[in-house]
């Protein structure tokens, strides 16, 4: 059998290069069809939209379209590979949008010199889409980019590596802490990485009950503490008044390790110094901070999750971004705010506690999935993710005053993906 590398290359090369294509949704066979689709008929919706800009949602695909936009500066955990080498990931995100939430998606890879140039490029094309999913843009630039685009765009702008990751991490951690019998307010958390994912994960965890002073965040220079003078404004928020300087210092007695940094950075020796019943989220892709088989061979009282599809407990933003956009698009939310993010956290956390349908077991290859150490979070193939997250997010958008449309009547049916 071919190894995974060759299988992955073959998967991307055939039957056609890449993973996604465009489909026509109207008849386009006859002269009559073309007279409606193109000249002269197309002039009619143009005139309508020129008079009433909101009609763009009525006569074009804008309302069900999300642009996945990257500059390739932090491609998974592979580093700054540049725009073109990020394209398989961005096409992958587009595939996931379509497969899981029936959202049409274009991947756009932007070459730019300055941050302003990137912001201007995205802001200038934003109106073509219903939403913008920023992807794999490195910290700290990602923070200013997202802020500027939220201010300038009339549609939701969401940096997936920040907020998608944070939402799924929070949902998984709430469940894992409960399974391990730990109190979120007392949990000592080590976060390896201080970039896009790390900062957003820790900020959202604090909103969910974690105490800021119980977080030890590390970057390539070690623990982020109050006596460092090399911290950007985002890292400074996590500067801990501590004498701890290394991962070894910080992880001693910790309840939780969140890795959003790079491969193989957590050794078995360090894992052994953590508290009883520790929780390890080794989320770096494609190679986690510690491999599950090594972690489980080191001690048997832990819960381990990774970002990968080939181990139990996949803590990955795929569990969030298709569905949070589904809800946001369906009520035409102007932004994706904290209320919508918390609603998504609760929906994901709750779904893991419910019994798993046979179709999900068949897709995941499991005989059984029961809420517990090897099943802290739903599988991406679970069709209930779409209905439960999108409906919670849509309701939160309405309740928080950012929705442009009422709660969708078709949400009372069970599978939103089938009916949108
Ligand atoms: N499972 C999931 O859903 C997701 C996983 N991730 C993973 O998280 C990782 C980071 O992504 P992202 O935040 O977007 O990238 P960024 O480039 O924004 O941040 C990377 C961070 O990791 C730190 N880092 C790198 N190497 C080390 C090291 N040896 N020791 C300590 N810290 C280190 C960097 O430190 P410094 O600041 O000093 O440069 C930086 O703070 C990637 O591996 C990515 O795959 C990201 C998003 C989603
Ligand atoms: C999953 C993801 O978005 C990442 O690793 O960057
Ligand atoms: Mg990413």
């Amino acid at each position: 059998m071919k190894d995974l590398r060759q299988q992955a290359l073959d998967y991307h090369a055939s039957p056609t290069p890449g993973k996604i294509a465009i489909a026509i949704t109207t008849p386009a066979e006859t002269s009559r069809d073309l007279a409606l689709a193109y000249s002269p008929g197309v002039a009619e919706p143009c005139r309508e939209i020129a008079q009433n800009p909101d009609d763009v949602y009525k006569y074009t695909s804008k309302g069900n379209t999300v642009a996945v936009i990257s500059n390739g500066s932090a491609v998974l955990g592979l580093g700054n590979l540049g725009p073109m080498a990020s394209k398989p990931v961005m096409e992958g995100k587009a595939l996931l949008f379509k497969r899981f939430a029936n959202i049409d998606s274009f991947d756009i890879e932007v070459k730019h010199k300055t941050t302003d140039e990137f912001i201007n490029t995205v802001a200038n094309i934003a109106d073509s889409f219903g939403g913008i999913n920023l992807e794999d843009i490195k910290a700290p630039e990602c923070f200013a980019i997202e802020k500027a685009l939220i201010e300038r765009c009339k549609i939701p702008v969401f940096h997936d590596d920040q907020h998608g990751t944070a939402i799924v991490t929070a949902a998984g951690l709430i469940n894992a802490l409960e399974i391990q019998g730990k109190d979120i307010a007392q949990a000592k958390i080590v976060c390896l990485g201080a970039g896009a994912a790390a900062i957003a994960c820790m900020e959202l965890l604090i909103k969910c009950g974690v105490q800021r002073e119980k977080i030890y965040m590390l970057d390539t220079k070690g623990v982020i503490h109050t006596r460092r003078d090399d911290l950007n404004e985002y890292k400074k928020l996590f500067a801990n008044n501590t004498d701890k300087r290394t991962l070894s210092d910080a992880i001693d007695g910790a309840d939780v390790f969140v890795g959003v940094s790079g491969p193989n950075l957590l050794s078995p020796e360090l894992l052994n110094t953590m508290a009883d019943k520790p929780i390890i989220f080794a989320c770096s892709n494609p190679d986690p901070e510690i491999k599950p088989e090594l972690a489980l061979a080191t001690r048997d009282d832990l819960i381990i999750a990774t970002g990968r599809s080939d181990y139990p407990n996949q803590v990955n933003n795929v569990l969030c971004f298709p569905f949070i956009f589904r809800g946001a698009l369906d009520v035409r939310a102007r932004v994706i705010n904290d209320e919508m993010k918390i609603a998504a956290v609760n929906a994901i956390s709750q779904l893991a506690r419910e019994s798993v349908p046979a179709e999900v077991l068949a897709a995941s290859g499991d005989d059984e999935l029961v809420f517990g150490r090897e099943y802290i979070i739903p599988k991406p193939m679970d069709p209930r993710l779409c209905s439960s997250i999108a409906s919670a997010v849509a309701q939160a958008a309405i309740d928080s005053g950012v929705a442009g449309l009422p709660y969708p009547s078709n949400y009372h049916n069970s599978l939103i993906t089938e009916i949108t």
Side-chain angles (χ1 to χ4, degrees):
M1 190 169 151
K2 285 188 260 179
D3 64 10
L4 183 73
R5 176 180 180 278
Q6 194 54 53
Q7 284 182 42
L9 292 174
D10 293 348
Y11 176 94
H12 284 79
S14 66
T16 56
K19 299 192 285 264
I20 192 142
I22 292 196
I24 296 170
T25 58
T26 50
E29 304 306 317
T30 64
S31 296
R32 177 75 185 157
D33 294 339
L34 295 189
L36 297 175
Y38 194 42
S39 187
V42 71
E44 299 310 327
C46 294
R47 290 191 183 104
E48 295 294 312
I49 295 165
Q51 280 187 3
N52 178 12
D54 255 12
D55 275 357
V56 70
Y57 286 98
K58 189 170 174 188
Y59 296 118
T60 78
S61 60
K62 172 181 165 93
N64 195 43
T65 308
V66 169
V68 175
I69 307 188
S70 185
N71 61 5
S73 58
V75 183
L76 308 176
L78 304 173
N80 188 349
L81 302 186
M84 270 312 97
S86 79
K87 194 167 169 63
V89 175
M90 303 314 135
E91 278 197 350
K93 297 281 176 179
L95 173 152
L96 297 168
F97 266 118
K98 187 69 183 175
R99 161 70 177 85
F100 292 129
N102 199 22
I103 290 172
D104 294 309
S105 186
F106 292 92
D107 64 293
I108 297 173
E109 293 77 24
V110 179
K111 192 165 75 174
H112 65 102
K113 292 204 175 71
T114 64
T115 297
D116 278 348
E117 203 183 341
F118 181 86
I119 292 168
N120 287 333
T121 301
V122 178
N124 288 339
I125 62 170
D127 283 349
S128 307
F129 309 102
I132 290 183
N133 185 77
L134 300 171
E135 191 66 46
D136 289 2
I137 300 170
K138 79 175 181 67
E141 295 81 355
C142 64
F143 302 118
I145 287 171
E146 190 195 40
K147 183 168 183 287
L149 287 171
I150 288 171
E151 281 166 12
R152 284 177 62 176
C153 298
K154 295 188 211 105
I155 54 171
V157 177
F158 180 84
H159 183 198
D160 178 39
D161 298 284
Q162 291 185 58
H163 313 298
T165 314
I167 287 162
V168 178
T169 300
L173 195 56
I174 287 167
N175 289 356
L177 285 164
E178 186 180 313
I179 292 161
Q180 296 291 62
K182 291 177 189 270
D183 176 2
I184 194 165
Q186 298 308 320
K188 177 182 165 188
I189 299 185
V190 168
C191 179
L192 189 64
I199 301 274
C201 284
M202 294 305 119
E203 288 294 357
L204 189 59
L205 284 177
I206 289 166
K207 293 194 175 91
C208 294
V210 167
Q211 292 187 48
R212 192 178 286 272
E213 58 276 16
K214 292 192 184 292
I215 295 173
Y216 296 87
M217 186 179 278
L218 296 94
D219 62 10
T220 49
K221 301 201 176 69
V223 171
I224 291 178
H225 60 83
T226 47
R227 268 158 277 168
R228 274 180 63 173
D229 58 8
D230 60 345
L231 302 176
N232 63 41
E233 60 182 295
Y234 312 99
K235 291 181 181 178
K236 253 186 205 156
L237 295 171
F238 289 92
N240 199 311
N241 188 8
T242 177
D243 294 333
K244 298 179 197 299
R245 294 292 178 265
T246 64
L247 180 57
S248 162
D249 298 338
I251 206 165
D252 194 2
D255 298 293
V256 177
F257 170 90
V258 175
V260 271
S261 48
N264 303 316
L265 295 170
L266 179 61
S267 67
E269 293 71 31
L270 293 187
L271 181 55
N272 267 330
T273 69
M274 291 182 73
D276 285 348
K277 296 190 168 183
I279 297 161
I280 316 299
F281 281 10
C283 292
S284 179
N285 287 308
D287 299 310
E289 284 75 4
I290 187 167
K291 291 194 173 60
E293 49 270 42
L294 179 56
L296 290 163
T298 304
R299 54 192 291 178
D300 61 10
D301 62 342
L302 53 73
I303 288 179
I304 180 149
T306 69
R308 296 168 53 130
S309 299
D310 52 355
Y311 289 107
N313 295 334
Q314 184 176 18
V315 170
N316 189 302
N317 49 38
V318 64
L319 292 174
C320 174
F321 69 81
F323 316 115
I324 201 165
F325 269 102
R326 182 73 278 156
L329 293 180
D330 288 344
V331 294
R332 211 171 293 163
R334 291 186 292 283
V335 290
I336 294 177
N337 60 20
D338 279 353
E339 288 87 342
M340 294 157 78
K341 292 172 194 164
I342 299 282
V345 171
N346 291 331
I348 298 169
S349 162
Q350 186 53 41
L351 186 56
R353 294 144 195 266
E354 289 170 20
S355 66
V356 178
E359 66 185 288
V360 178
L361 297 176
S364 72
D366 293 291
D367 294 332
E368 189 181 50
L369 289 170
V370 178
F371 185 62
R373 281 169 52 190
E374 294 214 336
Y375 182 65
I376 62 166
I377 197 139
K379 296 281 177 190
M381 303 79 71
D382 193 326
R384 299 169 303 172
L385 278 167
C386 193
S387 45
S388 57
I389 300 175
S391 57
V393 166
Q395 189 62 56
I398 292 166
D399 294 345
S400 59
V402 298
L405 296 177
Y407 190 78
S409 54
N410 60 354
Y411 272 31
H412 299 300
N413 297 337
S414 59
L415 277 184
I416 292 163
T417 43
E418 286 180 3
I419 52 189
T420 44

